[in-house]
Amino acid sequence: MKVIVVAGARPNFMKVAPILRSLRERGHTPVFVHTGQHYDEAMSAVFLRELEIDTPDYHLGVGSGSHAAQTARIMESFDPVLEAVRPDWNVVVGDVNSTLAVALVVSKRRHELGTRLAHVEAGLRSGDWAMPEEVNRVVTDRLSDLLLTPSRDVVDNLRAEGLWSDRCQFVGNVMIDSLLTSLPRARAAAPAFARHPARPYVLATLHRPSNVDDPERLAGILQAFERLSHDLDVILPIHPRTRARLTTFGLDALLDRLTVMAPLSYLEMVAATDAASVVVTDSGGLQEETTVLGVPCVTLRAQTERPVTVTEGTNRLVPWPPTSEGVVASVREALARGRRGVGEAAPEGWDGAASQRIVRALEEAMP
Ligand code: UD1
């Protein structure tokens, strides 16, 4: 099979790496397309290197912009690639704008070019239409020929939309393939703060528009971090979007007691998560990674599209809307719960072998 595999933004790279590898191992021809949605060294290139992903076969270089501009640029520049490659399959992962843009192009040319679309991480739903990711997920699933699901509990979501059929297949969580492969290397090369922490630490990440685009909400969350910093270290690798908002809102002084750093590389982030006493985040991926590592996680969201991390894993949602008191109380509860062993709280199929199941599903769905 010839298979286009698409990545564009930071959380995509750890999902495509094992898929590219498994395709090659099974004698297929992967064609790696990087849309360029993320482009900074720290948001993209370092991930490709650490995950040992070859240089992209096609780099679309679309960069930042409004949702409309970014999506349109990806569509325009991906279309000729699709026409030139004419793959059997196009594999898109997750819920970023690159996922949706490629799904739209493939579905418009599917019949003419005899090509098909598979969505890895299908079926997740937050129910929150204010999240751009929710629009991306729903539309991508609707357009997909093969919906590859990460956990059993998404059946109800797909059923509710009339999408549950033999096109849906449970394959497990492919991001965990990368996590488990990389954990020994990450531990061996852990940054100093994770290897020899002076005090137990909170690892915090923050980038969702719902948290960082509202000055009051952002200030409340940072005040909680400031309060926690009296008896814990608070490590905050900072997303470019959050960095820009802090400066615009004049909130930089709230960072004084925190250990603020540039975005971490993949291996640094795995090591930092593994050694943290608790993680506080609005990321989707970290909710899953903490669950597998057994590290308590507090999620700064009203709801999660990954409820299995709460019911089976180590995740909890902060009381909504987040206040400084609410965040502090949730972190204290999570700390009291303590750590579990690696893999102890892992849901079914979060086992390091999802990419093999994905490739098998693609093979079996060939005409
Ligand atoms: C995107 C995804 C989000 C994912 C997140 C992880 C969408 C709709 N959102 O959000 O689901 O959780 O990636 O990071 O696809 N920027 C840089 N350098 C970069 C990339 C971005 O400085 O390499 C800055 C730019 O100012 C840009 C802003 O970050 O405008 C936002 O980037 P964008 O890709 O639009 O969305 P993210 O917030 O990163």
Side-chain angles (χ1 to χ4, degrees):
M1 300 185 298
K2 201 197 273 183
V3 184
I4 285 187
V5 179
V6 181
R10 183 170 64 176
N12 292 161
F13 302 121
M14 52 293 256
K15 296 172 193 168
V16 300
I19 299 174
L20 290 165
R21 197 167 306 125
S22 289
L23 280 167
R24 226 170 270 118
E25 277 168 12
R26 294 277 298 170
H28 302 299
T29 308
V31 178
F32 175 38
V33 177
H34 187 328
T35 67
Q37 176 175 345
H38 285 175
Y39 43 85
D40 285 348
E41 156 75 23
M43 301 291 286
S44 169
V46 69
F47 285 78
L48 301 189
R49 276 200 307 279
E50 290 187 349
L51 289 158
E52 296 171 343
I53 304 175
D54 289 340
T55 311
D57 297 289
Y58 293 87
H59 197 298
L60 309 182
V62 299
S64 299
S66 67
H67 285 269
Q70 192 173 61
T71 308
R73 280 205 296 268
I74 299 167
M75 289 181 70
E76 272 191 308
S77 47
F78 179 71
D79 195 42
V81 173
L82 182 65
E83 181 155 349
V85 177
R86 292 178 181 247
D88 298 294
W89 284 104
N90 300 270
V91 175
V92 295
V93 298
D95 54 21
V96 301
N97 287 344
S98 303
T99 312
L100 171 67
V102 167
L104 283 167
V105 174
V106 174
S107 57
K108 293 285 174 84
R109 303 205 67 189
R110 158 192 289 134
H111 297 295
E112 176 200 349
L113 299 178
T115 190
R116 285 177 308 159
L117 179 70
H119 183 208
V120 170
E121 209 180 271
L124 301 190
R125 297 290 184 269
S126 68
D128 177 3
W129 284 93
M131 287 178 79
E133 292 82 1
E134 185 72 355
V135 179
N136 295 346
R137 290 180 197 116
V138 171
V139 179
T140 302
D141 281 348
R142 183 68 186 84
L143 298 176
S144 292
D145 299 286
L146 192 54
L147 290 83
L148 300 169
T149 65
S151 52
R152 298 276 185 196
D153 56 350
V154 306
V155 175
D156 294 340
N157 300 334
L158 293 170
R159 239 187 223 130
E161 291 172 29
L163 293 179
W164 183 249
S165 73
D166 56 4
R167 292 185 299 139
C168 304
Q169 268 202 50
F170 169 74
V171 292
N173 189 333
V174 76
M175 204 180 63
I176 303 308
D177 294 14
S178 282
L179 176 66
L180 296 177
T181 309
S182 308
L183 186 57
R185 263 195 305 150
R187 281 178 171 167
F193 72 80
R195 189 184 293 258
H196 306 293
R199 294 193 294 176
Y201 68 85
V202 178
L203 176 67
T205 81
L206 205 55
H207 75 285
R208 295 263 165 221
S210 54
N211 284 327
V212 307
D213 289 0
D214 173 346
E216 255 174 60
R217 184 161 295 170
L218 181 56
I221 294 169
L222 291 173
Q223 276 153 6
F225 295 168
E226 199 173 44
R227 286 171 60 185
L228 290 165
S229 73
H230 290 278
D231 54 333
L232 295 157
D233 282 333
V234 179
I235 310 249
L236 180 70
I238 207 156
H239 187 282
R241 176 188 197 100
T242 312
R243 165 70 71 197
R245 295 296 183 274
L246 283 166
T247 307
T248 310
F249 300 150
L251 294 175
D252 287 308
L254 286 174
L255 302 178
D256 286 352
R257 293 185 53 86
L258 317 184
T259 307
V260 176
M261 52 188 74
L264 295 177
S265 76
Y266 180 64
L267 292 177
E268 287 171 337
M269 194 66 190
V270 170
T273 307
D274 178 50
S277 294
V278 60
V279 169
V280 181
T281 190
D282 57 13
S283 144
L286 263 175
Q287 297 172 48
E288 302 179 335
E289 289 162 337
T290 46
T291 272
V292 171
L293 292 173
V295 175
C297 181
V298 173
T299 294
L300 297 167
R301 298 257 313 270
Q303 76 304 100
T304 176
E305 61 286 331
R306 296 163 161 92
V308 73
T309 61
V310 177
T311 53
E312 293 184 35
T314 60
N315 192 18
R316 68 187 60 224
L317 295 176
V318 80
W320 201 258
T323 59
S324 168
E325 292 70 32
V327 175
V328 170
S330 296
V331 170
R332 298 269 177 235
E333 284 161 26
L335 279 168
R337 180 77 213 268
R339 179 162 187 170
R340 296 166 77 177
V342 174
E344 212 179 281
E348 182 188 351
W350 298 28
D351 57 358
S355 68
Q356 289 151 38
R357 291 188 287 268
I358 289 168
V359 173
R360 218 171 302 129
L362 295 173
E363 289 169 354
E364 283 167 9
M366 282 291 283

